[in-house]
Amino acid sequence: MNRLSLTLSGVLLATSALIAPGLAFAQAAPETAPTAQNPAQTSAEQVDQEPAEVGEIVVLGRYIPEQNRESSEVAAFLTSEDLERTGDSNAAAALTRVTGLSIVEGRFIYVRGLGERYSSALLNGSPLPSPEPLQRVVPLDLFPSSILDGVTVQKTYSPNFPGEFGGGVIDLHTIDAPNEPFFNMKLSLGGNTESTGKESLIYYGSRTDFTGFDDDTRDVPGAIRIAFDQGKQINTANFSAAQLQAMGQSLENAPLRLLQREKTPIDGGVELAGGFSQDTGLGTLGLIAVAGYDNSWRARRGVQQEGQFQGDALEVSSSYDVESNQNDIRLNMLGGLSLKTVDHELKWTNLYVRNTTKEARSAAGPDFDAGGSVIRNDYTEWFVRQLFTSQLAGEHQFMDGALEIDWRAAYAKTSRDAPYESRFQYGVDAAGDYIHNVQGNLISFSELDDDIVSGGVDVAYTLPLSSIREAIISAGVASFDNNREATRHDLQFEAVNGLTDSQRHARVDYLFSDYNINPNTLQLREIAGSNGASAYDAELQVNAAYAMIDAEIIPLVRTTVGVRFEDGQQSVTPRDVFGGASTYKATEIEEQYWLPSFTATWNFAEDQQLRFGASKTIGRPQFRELAPQAYTDPESDRIFIGNPYLVDTELLNLDARYEWYFARQQFITAGVFYKDVDKPVESVIVDVGNQRQQSFLNAPKSTIMGAEVEVKKYFEFPDQPMAFIANKRWLVQANYTYSDSEVKVSSGDTVLTLGGAGTPEQASFFIQDGSRLQGQSDHVANLQLGWEDDTARSQATIILNYVSDRITARGAGIGSSREPDFIQEPGVFLDFVYRKDFTVMDRDMGFALELRNLLGTDFDEYQERGAKIRVNNYDLGQSASVSLTARF
C-alpha cells in the first residue's frame, strides 16, 4: 500500500546487488583461508574464490523523502518537530506558519483568503461540532499543540474528504502511544506588556473562578429557571408583583455587577504527559495521557467608533474609549488506548477541552444616538466553551497488505454557556458625573449545545501494474448528523416610577440591592424571546459515498481521479421561547451533489515534479448565518443576525504546482490557483432603526486567482573558524501567497436579505462590482530563521508573519449612499523562540523562552473615506513566557 516503500524497493534491490558479492566472499573466506592445518592453499584456489567483477548497474527509482511528495494532492504538513520549533500554544497559532493561511480573531483559519466557512476541520478524520454561535467550524484555538502529533492541510480536493471544501481541509492528528515509556511535567510563566502588573478592570465572580469553574454563583435562580422551562415570559401579565420581586432579588448582585480595579497577575500553566507500550498476548497495548491547565490575562485599551456621511465624506459620529480585561482559563485532557498487531490496529481516543473566558469591560464616549452626549456601558461576562469527543477507529490489512480497510466512529459534543452576561448603562449629569440610565441595563442567559454523531469506512485495494508501479482503488462511505440547540433569555430591571437623584448616582450594587427591587422601584421583566428571535434548533445530515483511483498508469505520471456523492439536508427552525408561533420562516436546504476531482503528478526528474488539479466542491451556510437571532459578539461589540434566505455555495477549483525536493526536509515549491465561486456568503452591515447590525447575504459570483511559493533550506558551515556558526545547522524557511479576488455583480443580479423578507433586491445596492471578496488578503507571508545545535542541545527561531488588509464586512447603506467597507489590517508579527535541553542529576530537562509580537503590532479595523473611522482598535502588547520541562 505504501508508495514510498515500492519506490525504494528498486533502490534496495540494486544496493543488495552491489554488496551481495562482498557478503558472499566474506562468508566463504573462513572456509578457504590458510590455517595451521592447511597452510598450503594454492593461488589458483584463491583466484577461484575472488568475487566476480560486477558491471555498471543503473537504478531507475524516484525517492523524494517528504510527506508532500507522498501525498497525491497539494498539501502542507505540520509535524511535531514544527510545532515544537515555533512554540505555538495551540493549533490556530501554529497553522499561521503554513503557506496561504492566516488567522482571524486568534481562532479561525482562512485558507487562500477564503473564510472559515469554506474549510473543514477534522480530528483524526472525524468532523467536529462548534461551540461558537457564529460559526459551525470549530475554533482551532481549543486544541493545545501538546496533544497534536501533526496537522495536515490539504489544498486540492480529493473525494475521501467532506465536500465542504473551498480553501482546504484541516485534519488534526493527536499523539499516539510511544514505543518507550515516558512521563513529562512542564511548568510555564508568562506576561504581557498591556496586562501583567497593571491596574485593570475586574469583577469578583466566585471563589473558584481561577479554576474555570464557578461555585454555582452563576446558576440560574430556581424561580427564573422554572419560568424559562415553562416558556412563561417574566412580566406582570404572568407573575404577581411579589413573584417578580422574589425573582429579581434572587439574581446575584455585587459579585457579578461591580467593576473594580486590581493589578493583573502573571500567566501560568502546568502540563502533564505520559505514556507507554506493553506487549501482550493480543498485541502491543499502548496508552497515552495528556492533561494541561493554563491561566492567562489580556487587557485591552482602545477605541471603537462609528461614522456618518457628512456630504461625500465620513465623519466620526460615535466614539468610545474601551477598556477590558479578559481572563482565559483552559483545561484539556487527552486519553488514548491502542492495540497493534502486524496487520491490525485499534485506537480509542478521547479529548476534553474546556475554555473559560471571564471578562470585565467598559466603553465610554459621545454617542450619536444620544445626541452626542457621553454614554458609558459596563459589562461583566463569563463564557464557558467545552468540547468532548470520543473516537474509535481501526486499520486492518489483508492479503499481505494489498487490501486495507479503515473505519471510524465518533461522538463529539460542544457547548457554550454564557450566564449573567450583564450590561449597565450610564449617562452624565450637568456636573459631568456618571449617572444610571436604568433602561440600558441587561442581564442575559444563553446556552448552545452542538453535537455530531459520525462514522465512515474506507476500503483500498492495491493492484500492481508492474514491478515499480501500482494502482490503488479505493471507495468508502461516510455519514454524520449534526444537531444544534441555541436559546437566549434577556432580562431587564424597569424603573417603575423613575429613579431619584440619589439612586441615579448610587453605586451599581447599591442600586440593584434587594432594598430597591420592589413593585415601586425596580421590577424584573423579560424583554425578548418572542417571534422566534431568541431560540433556534438546527440540524445538518450528510450521507456520502465516494470512489477513487490513484494510479501510475503512465510511467512517471501519477493520476488521482474520483467522485464523491453527497446528500445533504440542512434546517434551521426559529423557536418562540414562550410557545407562540414564530414570525420567521424555517430554512430547509436539501441538495445532492456529484463532486468530481482530478489530480495529475508528473515526476519528470528524480527529485522534481509538477502537479495539476481540478475539482468541484461546495460550501454550506452556517447555522448562525441562517438563524434570525440577535447575538452580540464580545470581540467587536457588534450585533449579528442571520438571514434564513441563504443558499449553498458552489466552487470550481483549479491548481498547478511545481515541487523540487533537493535534499531531505528541504524543498522549493511554486504554484498558481484559480477558484470560481457561485453565490459566496458575504457579511454586510445593515441599519435597523437606530441600531447597526451585521447580517449575511449570497453575493452573485466571485473569482479568486493567485500564486504561492515556499522554500525550506538548511545550511551548515563546518569549516567556519567561529564555533558558534560551525557547530550549528541553520534554517531558512519562507512562504508567500498572493491572491486577487473579485466579486462580480451584473445589472440583473439580485440578492435575498433578511430586511427584504425574501423579496429579491438589486445586488448592486449592497455589493460593488469588482470589489474584493470579504476576508481575502492580497498578501500572506511567513519567514523563519533559526539554528539547531545538537551538541549544545539548543534551538532558536525568529518567526515573521505578515498578512495584508482584508474586508471584514460590507459597509451599511444602499447604492451610491453605501458606506465604505470595514477593513482589518493584521500587519506584521515578529516572534522569537529559544529552546535548550540540559541534564541535572541524571534527569533530562528542557527550558524554553518565547517572545511574541516584538514589533508591538496592534489590532486595527477601520472605515475610510475622508476621515479614518477606527471601528475597533486596540493595543495587543508584547508577550513573553518561560517554561521548564522535566522528563522522567
Side-chain angles (χ1 to χ4, degrees):
M1 290 293 295
N2 192 318
R3 174 170 294 273
L4 180 59
S5 65
L6 289 174
T7 303
L8 282 172
S9 61
V11 178
L12 295 174
L13 181 61
T15 306
S16 300
L18 288 170
I19 66 173
L23 291 175
F25 176 68
Q27 292 171 349
E31 299 179 8
T32 57
T35 63
Q37 290 79 13
N38 185 21
Q41 186 179 40
T42 65
S43 54
E45 291 174 327
Q46 293 175 3
V47 171
D48 289 340
Q49 295 174 27
E50 286 183 1
E53 183 176 344
V54 178
E56 180 181 5
I57 295 179
V58 179
V59 179
L60 296 176
R62 302 170 308 285
Y63 175 43
I64 302 176
E66 287 291 333
Q67 287 178 293
N68 305 46
R69 162 66 177 99
E70 295 176 48
S71 170
S72 62
E73 306 294 334
V74 174
F77 299 88
L78 281 180
T79 64
S80 55
E81 179 186 37
D82 296 326
L83 295 171
E84 184 177 2
R85 170 181 288 281
T86 58
D88 296 306
S89 60
N90 59 68
L95 284 166
T96 60
R97 320 300 179 191
V98 176
T99 308
L101 271 62
S102 58
I103 189 171
V104 177
E105 297 180 10
R107 296 176 290 170
F108 301 105
I109 292 295
Y110 279 30
V111 182
R112 289 176 168 176
L114 287 167
E116 76 282 351
R117 68 170 58 86
Y118 296 113
S119 299
S120 302
L122 308 174
L123 184 67
N124 298 325
S126 294
L128 292 167
S130 174
E132 293 299 319
L134 287 174
Q135 281 85 13
R136 193 171 69 247
V137 178
V138 65
L140 296 179
D141 67 322
L142 284 178
F143 301 94
S145 57
S146 59
I147 69 164
L148 298 176
D149 183 54
V151 184
T152 299
V153 182
Q154 188 169 303
K155 298 180 184 179
T156 57
Y157 179 66
S158 57
N160 56 315
F161 281 118
E164 288 192 73
F165 185 109
V169 63
I170 299 166
D171 195 2
L172 309 172
H173 309 287
T174 55
I175 56 179
D176 287 334
N179 293 325
E180 299 292 334
F182 80 98
F183 177 74
N184 295 339
M185 181 174 67
K186 176 181 176 181
L187 301 175
S188 62
L189 296 173
N192 177 272
T193 56
E194 289 293 312
S195 310
T196 310
K198 294 190 174 182
E199 293 278 350
S200 299
L201 293 175
I202 195 172
Y203 71 96
Y204 177 75
S206 77
R207 296 169 300 169
T208 57
D209 281 2
F210 70 95
T211 66
F213 298 82
D214 82 342
D215 59 0
D216 300 332
T217 296
R218 296 179 178 85
D219 285 355
V220 182
I224 295 177
R225 169 60 73 183
I226 291 172
F228 289 169
D229 293 342
Q230 291 178 346
K232 296 176 66 175
Q233 186 171 6
I234 299 174
N235 57 25
T236 56
N238 294 318
F239 297 94
S240 68
Q243 289 174 316
L244 293 176
Q245 180 175 336
M247 288 180 181
Q249 292 177 350
S250 69
L251 291 168
E252 283 294 332
N253 185 18
L256 303 183
R257 291 172 178 164
L258 181 63
L259 290 184
Q260 299 173 290
R261 289 193 177 276
E262 195 174 276
K263 280 192 176 180
T264 303
I266 62 174
D267 303 338
V270 60
E271 183 179 283
L272 305 174
F276 68 91
S277 293
Q278 178 69 47
D279 288 335
T280 69
L282 298 175
T284 302
L285 178 67
L287 171 69
I288 186 72
V290 179
Y293 165 82
D294 183 74
N295 193 322
S296 62
W297 298 80
R298 287 299 175 267
R300 295 177 181 174
R301 295 166 181 85
V303 175
Q304 292 179 356
Q305 296 179 333
E306 290 184 1
Q308 297 284 342
F309 274 119
Q310 298 292 332
D312 294 332
L314 275 180
E315 297 291 341
V316 175
S317 59
S318 299
S319 181
Y320 282 84
D321 293 323
V322 180
E323 181 181 357
S324 77
N325 193 19
Q326 179 174 306
N327 183 202
D328 288 302
I329 307 107
R330 178 174 14 223
L331 179 68
N332 63 270
M333 291 180 284
L334 172 77
L337 283 172
S338 62
L339 182 64
K340 299 180 182 179
T341 65
V342 175
D343 296 321
H344 306 280
E345 181 176 4
L346 293 174
K347 290 183 182 179
W348 184 30
T349 306
N350 298 276
L351 173 65
Y352 171 75
V353 179
R354 179 185 175 97
N355 195 340
T356 303
T357 297
K358 177 183 180 181
E359 184 173 9
R361 183 160 42 100
S362 182
D367 186 274
F368 177 80
D369 295 326
S373 299
V374 173
I375 296 293
R376 190 182 97 193
N377 290 304
D378 290 349
Y379 304 85
T380 61
E381 295 160 330
W382 174 267
F383 304 108
V384 179
R385 296 182 295 159
Q386 293 187 110
L387 164 67
F388 170 75
T389 179
S390 181
Q391 184 198 60
L392 188 63
E395 299 178 4
H396 311 277
Q397 293 187 1
F398 305 93
M399 302 170 60
D400 294 327
L403 177 64
E404 184 173 319
I405 300 176
D406 299 340
W407 59 270
R408 61 202 172 275
Y411 171 76
K413 179 180 177 62
T414 60
S415 64
R416 180 185 184 271
D417 187 19
Y420 278 97
E421 282 185 80
S422 300
R423 182 191 73 191
F424 300 96
Q425 191 176 88
Y426 302 83
V428 293
D429 62 10
D433 296 325
Y434 284 111
I435 57 175
H436 287 281
N437 287 342
V438 71
Q439 67 272 16
N441 79 85
L442 189 69
I443 301 172
S444 302
F445 295 87
S446 62
E447 296 178 349
L448 183 151
D449 292 298
D450 199 328
D451 64 66
I452 289 182
V453 178
S454 65
V457 178
D458 302 299
V459 180
Y461 178 73
T462 301
L463 178 66
L465 301 179
S466 71
S467 59
I468 60 171
R469 293 187 291 115
E470 64 187 12
I472 303 175
I473 304 169
S474 57
V477 295
S479 177
F480 75 85
D481 187 1
N482 183 193
N483 290 272
R484 171 179 286 194
E485 181 179 333
T487 305
R488 180 183 179 90
H489 293 272
D490 292 324
L491 304 176
Q492 185 182 73
F493 282 99
E494 178 186 17
V496 181
N497 297 310
L499 297 179
T500 66
D501 188 62
S502 62
Q503 288 170 339
R504 290 170 67 86
H505 284 84
R507 211 171 72 176
V508 64
D509 55 328
Y510 292 166
L511 175 62
F512 293 96
S513 64
D514 289 352
Y515 176 80
N516 289 324
I517 299 175
N518 57 65
N520 299 312
T521 310
L522 295 174
Q523 192 168 59
L524 189 67
R525 63 175 181 172
E526 191 167 0
I527 62 172
S530 60
N531 301 324
S534 287
Y536 67 91
D537 298 323
E539 183 178 14
L540 173 62
Q541 288 185 326
V542 177
N543 297 309
Y546 77 91
M548 184 170 62
I549 299 176
D550 179 5
E552 194 173 335
I553 299 174
I554 303 173
L556 306 181
V557 178
R558 180 182 181 184
T559 57
T560 305
V561 59
V563 65
R564 183 182 186 90
F565 173 76
E566 280 200 356
D567 181 6
Q569 299 180 8
Q570 183 173 7
S571 65
V572 174
T573 305
R575 176 166 44 87
D576 189 328
V577 295
F578 307 133
S582 172
T583 59
Y584 294 103
K585 62 171 289 188
T587 299
E588 293 187 2
I589 303 175
E590 296 187 17
E591 298 283 357
Q592 292 79 40
Y593 296 100
W594 290 95
L595 304 174
S597 75
F598 171 81
T599 305
T601 303
W602 178 26
N603 192 187
F604 64 90
E606 182 178 359
D607 52 4
Q608 300 177 64
Q609 58 192 24
L610 287 173
R611 295 186 189 269
F612 304 92
S615 63
K616 179 183 176 183
T617 56
I618 60 170
R620 295 185 174 94
Q622 301 178 36
F623 291 147
R624 193 62 191 81
E625 294 170 345
L626 290 165
Q629 181 194 77
Y631 162 75
T632 301
D633 178 24
E635 177 72 22
S636 62
D637 277 339
R638 289 202 289 272
I639 297 174
F640 287 75
I641 190 164
N643 176 8
Y645 305 104
L646 297 179
V647 298
D648 290 352
T649 301
E650 298 185 35
L651 302 96
L652 172 67
N653 313 285
L654 302 174
D655 278 87
R657 184 155 102 157
Y658 163 77
E659 301 171 357
W660 177 24
Y661 301 90
F662 47 84
R664 184 177 181 272
Q665 296 183 344
Q666 302 178 66
F667 54 83
I668 293 175
T669 66
V672 293
F673 58 88
Y674 172 84
K675 295 180 181 293
D676 186 271
V677 188
D678 184 48
K679 293 190 170 24
V681 176
E682 294 266 279
S683 182
V684 296
I685 301 296
V686 294
D687 288 320
V688 180
N690 63 347
Q691 187 181 75
R692 290 202 158 178
Q693 298 181 354
Q694 192 162 329
S695 190
F696 309 90
L697 55 78
N698 286 106
K701 268 185 143 351
S702 70
T703 58
I704 304 175
M705 60 182 66
E708 53 189 18
V709 61
E710 182 174 16
V711 59
K712 183 178 181 181
K713 171 66 178 172
Y714 285 101
F715 296 90
E716 296 184 71
F717 307 97
D719 299 327
Q720 264 285 336
M722 293 179 60
F724 179 80
I725 296 177
N727 293 337
K728 293 175 174 58
R729 189 183 188 208
W730 298 84
L731 168 70
V732 176
Q733 183 170 356
N735 61 67
Y736 167 73
T737 300
Y738 169 77
S739 55
D740 179 59
S741 65
E742 183 179 359
V743 179
K744 298 182 178 180
V745 181
S746 302
S747 58
D749 288 334
T750 60
V751 295
L752 301 177
T753 68
L754 178 65
T759 302
E761 300 174 85
Q762 192 169 327
S764 59
F765 287 171
F766 301 91
I767 304 170
Q768 181 181 350
D769 180 48
S771 59
R772 277 191 298 167
L773 190 68
Q774 181 202 335
Q776 181 260 327
S777 295
D778 290 346
H779 309 280
V780 178
N782 295 286
L783 174 66
Q784 293 185 37
L785 303 173
W787 50 258
E788 299 172 354
D789 189 332
D790 292 337
T791 303
R793 302 166 66 188
S794 62
Q795 181 187 80
T797 312
I798 296 172
I799 306 164
L800 189 71
N801 172 251
Y802 169 70
V803 179
S804 65
D805 61 14
R806 57 187 166 219
I807 297 172
T808 56
R810 302 293 180 189
I814 293 179
S816 60
S817 63
R818 192 177 65 83
E819 294 178 3
D821 297 333
F822 285 18
I823 304 294
Q824 184 199 349
E825 193 165 342
V828 180
F829 285 84
L830 178 65
D831 302 334
F832 174 75
V833 179
Y834 173 77
R835 299 183 179 279
K836 181 172 176 59
D837 291 343
F838 56 96
T839 303
V840 176
M841 300 178 63
D842 296 327
R843 183 72 61 201
D844 285 338
M845 309 286 287
F847 169 80
L849 168 67
E850 300 175 16
L851 305 176
R852 304 290 182 182
N853 194 22
L854 293 173
L855 299 180
T857 302
D858 60 4
F859 183 92
D860 189 16
E861 185 182 19
Y862 61 89
Q863 285 179 292
E864 192 166 18
R865 184 176 296 172
K868 181 176 181 179
I869 310 300
R870 293 184 291 173
V871 175
N872 194 15
N873 181 280
Y874 55 87
D875 294 330
L876 295 170
Q878 292 96 356
S879 300
S881 67
V882 294
S883 64
L884 185 66
T885 303
R887 303 182 178 96
F888 299 90

